Amino acid sequence: MQEGSFTWGRLEKQYRSLNKWIDWTWIIVLLVAAVLLFTINLGGLPLRDWDEGTVAQVAKEILHAPAGSMSWLYPTLGGEPYHNKPPLMHLLIAGAYSLGGVNEWTARLPGSILTALSVPLLYCVGREIFRQRSCAVYSALVYLTMLPVVRHGRLAMLDGAVVCFFILMMLCVLRSRRDLRYCLGVGIAFGLICLTKGMLGLLLAAVVVAFLFWDTPRLLTSGYMWVGMLIGSLPVAFWYLAQWWEYGRTFTNVGMFSQSLNRIWSSVEGHSGPPWYYLLEILKYTWPWLIFLPSSLHLARENRNLSWAKLVLVWMGVYLVTISLMETKLPWYVFPIYPSLALVIGAKLGEIEDLPVLSSYPRFWVVSLTLLALVATAGSIYFSFVPTAKSELQLQLIFAAAAMTMALAAILAERGDRQFLKVLFWGSYVSLFLFMKSNYWVWELAERYPVQPVANMIREGTPSGTKIYTSNPEHRPSLNFYSDRNIVPASFKQLQDYWHNQKQPYLLLDKSAFHALQLDSLKVIDQAEGWKLVTKDING
């Protein structure tokens, strides 16, 4: 062997080792930053309705089910069969309950950890499709500092886990282009998605198929890919067959049609919206990264012959069009699109590394950052004049941090200093950290009465296992979770019938219902947050 070839081989080996070391350093840094952001103050606020309360309750019933009941396969909600979603996430939460007790922290922990894992996984996806490492780093950091990603990823819901498994699936798809053994990972990730959120797995698989058809069609005819998908699908098929065997047409009608397919052509539980509903969600919550989206999409369109552009265009296009055409609209349905937005923005931001020092940046970027700084400053000033309280001081600090970030980034961008991106990442991370540390990150809690005082009143004033009827027309799964009772919304007529037909009825009434019903032999057990818990005075 020639001396030059030997030297080059040794240098190439050292270069690869250095590359791996740098990649693992970034993976660990991103994972630590994500875990910190996704778990801080995780149990500081109560569970919200709907999904959090429902998921947490199903997991609790799995934990407390009698031995041999096979609740891990046939979960229940309020003692009735739960057909809405497969139980993978509920089983993970039940496992967390068994280790740390039944509380908000353990209910939210599995989803938070899985969403945190999706950050370094997205970095790995970026390393597969981008020539420059900086594009992968920027993509992961953009994804990490997106408000809807952090907020929905922290909730006791299924969507953070689904996105984690989908990014894992995409990573295996990309690596299978050079190593067919990763086809097994594609199938396993597909199975995990289906065991978490059922038929959503078919839509995400369609995104993968569309990308491969455009980019690497040979994989669609690969036996390795189909064997991998078959292996991943076997547990899913087993679960669906087990449900059909146990419940028959009830599962078909409720689990597959009413709770899944029916969402495509009809509005479930009144959750509807126009076709541009999800575009508005993206416009509302993806600042400041939305500033870079127009130029990023333009870059992707110009480079549509490259794999990274094919991936993001198919990912965004197929998924966004599909959910926009569905009749049922819910804010968290758009969650799986955020990784693709982060990738396309990361590709654009990576270009900045190749620009000369003190280059000029688009005026739109500078103006947008300046406007964001002004809005955040106005928010901080507004809460400075609100009567002093801990909550208002939290908001003042959050807005002040965001204002300083945007103002400094705008000044540096105006000067053509590429350091404005580092300021933007650090400032966005700190602002999100302060927001998650506050009492506002689950802002839906302010829309209804506080559930925990009412739940404590019910738990202390009624026997275990009691069914309680309430005048509240809304079903609140979180109230069931905290009270360990089944709270059933009822009309005035149903409340009166239940009162007269039961020897010891229990009703939860608001002020207007309490006066309007005029119930005889009434005994008020307790009251909290404007609600009265009443029963019959059998001694009266």
Side-chain angles (χ1 to χ4, degrees), residues 374-384 395-396 399-400:
L374 292 174
V375 171
T377 301
S380 181
I381 293 173
Y382 171 78
F383 287 106
S384 299
L395 288 173
Q396 181 183 350
F399 277 109

Side-chain angles (χ1 to χ4, degrees), residues 223-422:
Y224 289 94
M225 180 65 74
W226 290 107
V227 169
M229 291 297 289
L230 177 62
I231 292 173
S233 301
L234 285 176
V236 182
F238 167 75
W239 185 82
Y240 275 95
L241 286 173
Q243 304 307 302
W244 182 82
W245 184 267
E246 179 72 14
Y247 302 114
R249 293 186 63 181
T250 301
F251 173 72
T252 305
N253 294 334
V254 177
M256 298 184 68
F257 285 95
S258 178
Q259 293 294 337
S260 295
L261 294 176
N262 199 37
R263 295 172 183 260
I264 299 174
W265 53 75
S266 63
S267 173
V268 175
E269 296 168 352
H271 297 294
S272 62
W276 53 87
Y277 176 88
Y278 294 111
L279 290 176
L280 293 178
E281 286 295 308
I282 294 171
L283 288 172
K284 285 191 293 185
Y285 297 117
T286 53
W287 300 97
W289 308 117
L290 190 64
I291 296 170
F292 308 102
L293 187 57
S295 55
S296 301
L297 292 175
H298 179 71
L299 178 67
R301 188 178 62 82
E302 286 185 334
N303 293 275
R304 57 187 178 275
N305 60 316
L306 301 180
S307 287
W308 73 264
K310 294 176 183 177
L311 177 63
V312 298
L313 290 174
V314 168
W315 191 335
M316 285 187 291
V318 173
Y319 187 80
L320 184 59
V321 168
T322 302
I323 62 172
S324 296
L325 293 177
M326 289 173 56
E327 285 296 321
T328 300
K329 301 285 196 305
L330 288 166
W332 47 90
Y333 282 7
V334 77
F335 197 157
I337 209 170
Y338 292 125
S340 63
L341 292 179
L343 287 170
V344 73
I345 293 171
K348 180 63 181 179
L349 298 183
E351 280 194 333
I352 295 177
E353 294 293 321
D354 295 330
L355 294 177
V357 179
L358 300 180
S359 300
S360 60
Y361 299 118
R363 175 59 50 183
F364 175 71
W365 294 5
V366 178
V367 172
S368 298
L369 289 170
T370 303
L371 290 176
L372 289 177
L374 292 174
V375 171
T377 301
S380 181
I381 293 173
Y382 171 78
F383 287 106
S384 299
F385 291 98
V386 173
T388 305
K390 182 181 179 181
S391 56
E392 281 73 26
L393 289 175
Q394 289 176 339
L395 288 173
Q396 181 183 350
L397 183 60
I398 294 165
F399 277 109
M404 290 177 61
T405 299
M406 302 307 158
L408 184 55
I411 292 171
L412 292 175
E414 172 66 23
R415 294 177 178 176
D417 191 338
R418 72 179 63 164
Q419 297 298 318
F420 87 96
L421 283 179
K422 294 180 176 59

Side-chain angles (χ1 to χ4, degrees), residues 105-151:
W105 189 80
T106 49
R108 290 169 174 151
L109 184 64
S112 298
I113 295 299
L114 286 171
T115 313
L117 285 172
S118 69
V119 176
L121 282 176
L122 191 68
Y123 169 80
C124 294
V125 168
R127 290 292 288 139
E128 290 293 320
I129 59 175
F130 294 125
R131 182 177 57 85
Q132 296 173 289
R133 177 181 285 108
S134 59
C135 295
V137 172
Y138 285 143
S139 298
L141 290 176
V142 169
Y143 179 69
L144 173 62
T145 51
M146 280 185 171
L147 173 60
V149 171
V150 180
R151 206 177 82 88

Side-chain angles (χ1 to χ4, degrees), residues 28 32 35 85 87 93 96 120 124 144 150 152 166 190 193 225 288 300 314 326 349 450 452 460 485 502:
I28 293 171
V32 171
V35 169
K85 294 293 185 294
I93 295 173
C124 294
L144 173 62
V150 180
H152 285 303
F166 184 48
F190 172 73
I193 294 170
M225 180 65 74
V314 168
M326 289 173 56
L349 298 183
Q452 286 177 307
E460 294 170 3
R485 308 289 188 271
Q502 296 292 322

